[in-house]
């Protein structure tokens, strides 16, 4: 298959990141770490910062941390950038630590949404935070982007505030907020920021920084892609724009279905729930063939009506229903969410506008089209910047190290990994990657990836020769894309792989195989593992890739995410059927056997996703038992702002099939079964952990109510036993539960497996530990 063209045609108008004239402060050179204190600024010879970044994460100077990437990109443009990481938000004092920024504040809640970071899917407060030294929780406020913006305004009132990060991206329009169970206003309104930069913001941020440096007022910066801002009604800067109503893009009302002229008369009647048979329809007009005569009616194609008269897309803005409308009407909320996702391709997306407030408080949130993705050369520029690849020295312990009490788990996770691409065209409805990074894959060059591997090998302390990951949002989408840039720029599909792989999508894994082989051939590299999630429906298109992956890049187990086994929830997730998993599993086992390795697939599943019935979860539990899996870490659906599945959760409707007001049996809108309430969510989680004795009472009650008491018993065909061992009601990790303690024999009961090596655990990915006289010893980390 042909490799995708490196530069899509809508990349060409974008100004390259490296084409700007550097700001005068470039003479100060490169900082070993971006300063976090006045003393560090003095050491660099700075009297002030041009830009100060405020973040909810600890500062780790690594290209996997957003504030480090933004800081280094701005530094390469010549700006002096300081960082205030995890400040005390109870007053504005901590925000004055580096003085007044000359140009603007850059505010982000961090790599994670602050609410998802702090609360579990059951709205319980987490005790840890992987982005904080020592894994300590509570170092950032709820809705950190709003709080930080308010404190920045208090510290220096006249300094522009530019908001970014995933928390801002997912809240750019009025959105359902799971934690308060209501629709909230756009974060642009609540934070009172001057500009919101959504998505991967390097291109927009560099443009904005240079304009502010040239003394352009921030309120005059209204034409940068990937930005959102406030406009008052009647603002003269909106002149020349042609406004259309969102219902013209996607009508949320009854629509008459057109008859298919190629259907037979009887087929047409059946499609409308009627019959043309003489016996069944005695009043029907008879014909020689005994069928009702219906004349064919040809209707004009709506897509061709007025063609050539439409306003240019680059000067068209779509007005979404207002905040007040979507707050009170779930149908309009689902409609607005659907239009937002339709207008997501940078090649054809139009600007969006949504009104907030009425009367004197009325203002519009204006959202420009998504940013133009970075070219390969620009990706290389971003990742080749001089990152220190370690946490800031202020976090080190008394020995100057970061692996003890001050360890930052999120850094440990990516310490020896390399990011090779961005974006995801999977379109999974529960995932926020597409809403933030876009569906167009942005890949680095081979040479840039190899340079980073060599730098990691030579400079990062503690490297033992094992690369933990070469990946990104999805492990095997490197250099995949549309066959032609024209089709890519015109496409408006939400996914390139659902319901099947698009015929215009290249699935050639050759460039990725080449990278794997080149990486593991490097001197000093012992093993290259793949830790990112794998899209197995793509992988099976390339048996050579599966063989390469399985035989050289799997460390005993490989995590993949079928998410479910039943068609109902899978259709709401936009995930492939379990048949794709079975095909990949066969290939995985075949190539593992050829290599003489015992390796295991560890599937991940979601409980309580919209569209999941209790019977679906029961069938999933039966599948898990048949295949010998015991899920340890159970993932429950978490309604993140702006995701399509969240729109389902809030509205009870399916935006994937269109939103209309004729809801119910025979209506055009599809209702979705929503799993609400603590008891039902606990039940769905319990089905995933059917082996946990603490869940057996709940499951017994549910199975009896479902008429499936036949699954209760002590045989192999039963899901749960009739007996109930004494339990403390608490959760115990399956990693411990499935492992025999040293010096003890394995005993049945309480969910313990009897046969060694038969059952897998999701956490370890391996069967229960085997070995003479107890558990097998694991090698100590070096």
């Amino acid at each position: 298959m042909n490799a995708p063209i490196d530069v899509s045609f809508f990349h060409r108008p974008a100004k390259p990141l490296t084409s700007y004239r550097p700001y005068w402060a470039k003479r100060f050179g490169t900082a070993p770490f971006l300063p976090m204190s006045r003393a560090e600024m003095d050491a660099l010879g700075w009297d002030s910062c041009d830009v100060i970044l405020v973040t909810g994460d600890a500062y780790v100077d690594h290209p996997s941390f957003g504030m480090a990437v933004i800081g280094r990109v701005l530094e390469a443009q010549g700006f002096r950038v300081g960082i205030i990481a995890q400040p005390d938000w109870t007053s504005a004092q901590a925000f004055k630590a580096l003085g007044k920024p000359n140009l603007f504040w850059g505010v982000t809640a961090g790599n994670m949404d602050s609410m998802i970071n702090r609360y579990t899917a059951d709205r319980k407060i987490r005790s840890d935070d992987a982005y904080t030294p020592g894994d300590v929780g509570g170092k950032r406020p709820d809705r950190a982007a709003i709080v930080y913006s308010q404190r920045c305004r208090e510290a220096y009132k006249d300094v522009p505030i530019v908001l970014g990060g995933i928390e801002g991206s997912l809240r750019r329009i009025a959105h359902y907020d799971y934690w308060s169970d209501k629709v909230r206003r756009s974060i642009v309104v609540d934070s009172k920021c001057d500009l919101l930069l959504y998505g991967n913001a390097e291109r927009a941020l560099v443009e904005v920084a240079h304009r502010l440096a040239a003394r352009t007022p921030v309120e005059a910066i209204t034409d940068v892609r990937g930005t959102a801002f406030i406009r008052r009604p009647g603002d003269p800067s909106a002149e020349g724009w042609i406004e259309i109503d969102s219902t013209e893009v996607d009508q949320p009302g009854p629509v008459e279905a057109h008859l298919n002229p190629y259907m037979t008369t009887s087929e047409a009647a059946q499609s409308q729930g009627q019959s043309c048979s003489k016996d069944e329809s005695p009043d029907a007009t008879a014909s020689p063939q005994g069928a009702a005569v219906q004349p064919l009616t040809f209707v004009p194609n709506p897509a061709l009506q007025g063609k050539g008269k439409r306003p240019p897309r680059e000067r068209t803005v779509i007005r979404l229903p207002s905040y007040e409308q979507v707050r009170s009407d779930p149908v309009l909320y689902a409609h607005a969410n659907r239009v937002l996702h339709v207008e997501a391709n940078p090649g054809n997306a139009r600007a969006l506008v949504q009104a907030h407030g009425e009367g004197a408080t009325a203002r519009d949130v204006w959202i420009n089209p998504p940013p133009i993705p970075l070219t390969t050369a620009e990706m290389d520029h971003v990742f080749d910047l001089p990152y220190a690849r370690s946490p800031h020295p202020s976090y080190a312990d008394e020995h100057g190290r970061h692996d003890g009490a001050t360890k930052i788990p999120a850094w440990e996770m990516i310490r020896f990994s390399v990011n090779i691409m961005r974006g995801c065209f999977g379109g999974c409805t529960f995932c926020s990657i597409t809403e933030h990074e876009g569906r167009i894959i942005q890949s680095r060059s081979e040479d840039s990836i190899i340079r980073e591997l060599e730098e990691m090998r030579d400079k990062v302390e503690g490297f033992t020769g094992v690369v933990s990951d070469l990946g990104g949002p999805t492990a095997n989408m490197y250099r995949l894309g549309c066959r032609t840039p024209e089709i890519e720029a015109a496409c408006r599909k939400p996914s390139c792989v659902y319901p099947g792989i698009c015929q215009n999508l290249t699935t050639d894994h050759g460039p990725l195989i080449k990278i794997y082989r080149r990486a593991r051939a490097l001197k000093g590299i012992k093993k290259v593992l793949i830790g990112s999630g794998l899209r197995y429906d793509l992988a099976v298109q390339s048996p050579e890739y599966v063989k390469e992956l399985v035989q050289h890049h799997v460390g005993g187990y490989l995590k993949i995410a079928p998410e479910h086994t039943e068609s109902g929830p899978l259709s709401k997730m936009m995930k492939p059927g379990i048949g794709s998993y079975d095909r990949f599993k066969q290939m995985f086992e075949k190539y593992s056997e050829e290599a003489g390795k015992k390796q295991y697939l560890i599937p991940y599943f979601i409980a309580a996703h919209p569209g999941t019935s209790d019977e679906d979860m029961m069938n999933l539990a039966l599948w898990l038992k048949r295949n010998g899996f015991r899920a340890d870490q159970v993932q429950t659906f978490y309604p993140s702002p702006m995701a399509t599945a969240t729109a389902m959760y809030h509205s009870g409707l399916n935006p994937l099939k269109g939103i209309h007001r004729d809801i119910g049996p025979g209506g055009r809108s599809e209702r979705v079964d929503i799993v609400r309430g603590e008891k039902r969510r606990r039940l769905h989680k319990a089905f995933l952990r059917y082996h946990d004795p603490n869940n057996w009472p709940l499951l017994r009650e549910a199975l009896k109510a479902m008429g499936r008491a036949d699954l209760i018993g002590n045989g192999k065909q039963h899901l749960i036993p009739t007996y109930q061992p004494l339990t403390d009601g608490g959760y115990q990790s399956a990693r411990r539960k499935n492992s025999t303690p040293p010096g003890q024999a394995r005993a049945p009961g309480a969910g313990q497996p009897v046969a060694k090596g038969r059952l897998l655990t999701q956490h370890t990915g391996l069967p229960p530990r085997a070995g003479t006289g107890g558990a097998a010893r694991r090698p100590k980390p070096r």
Side-chain angles (χ1 to χ4, degrees), residues 187-210:
I187 198 170
V188 182
V189 175
D190 284 343
S191 69
K192 297 181 175 61
C193 65
D194 295 283
L195 274 178
L196 166 67
L197 273 54
Y198 66 89
N200 292 123
E202 292 95 342
R203 192 183 302 285
L205 189 69
V206 168
E207 174 73 14
V208 168
H210 281 287

Side-chain angles (χ1 to χ4, degrees), residues 1 425 439 481-484 487-488 491-508 535 537-538 541:
M1 296 183 180
F425 49 69
R439 67 176 188 177
C482 210
R483 293 183 184 278
T484 68
I487 293 176
E488 181 180 59
C491 182
R492 293 166 76 78
K493 291 175 61 178
S495 172
C496 300
V497 289
Y498 184 85
I501 296 174
C502 178
Q503 61 182 358
N504 296 310
L505 179 70
T506 60
T507 57
D508 179 16
R535 191 81 195 199
D537 53 342
L538 283 174
Q541 304 296 315

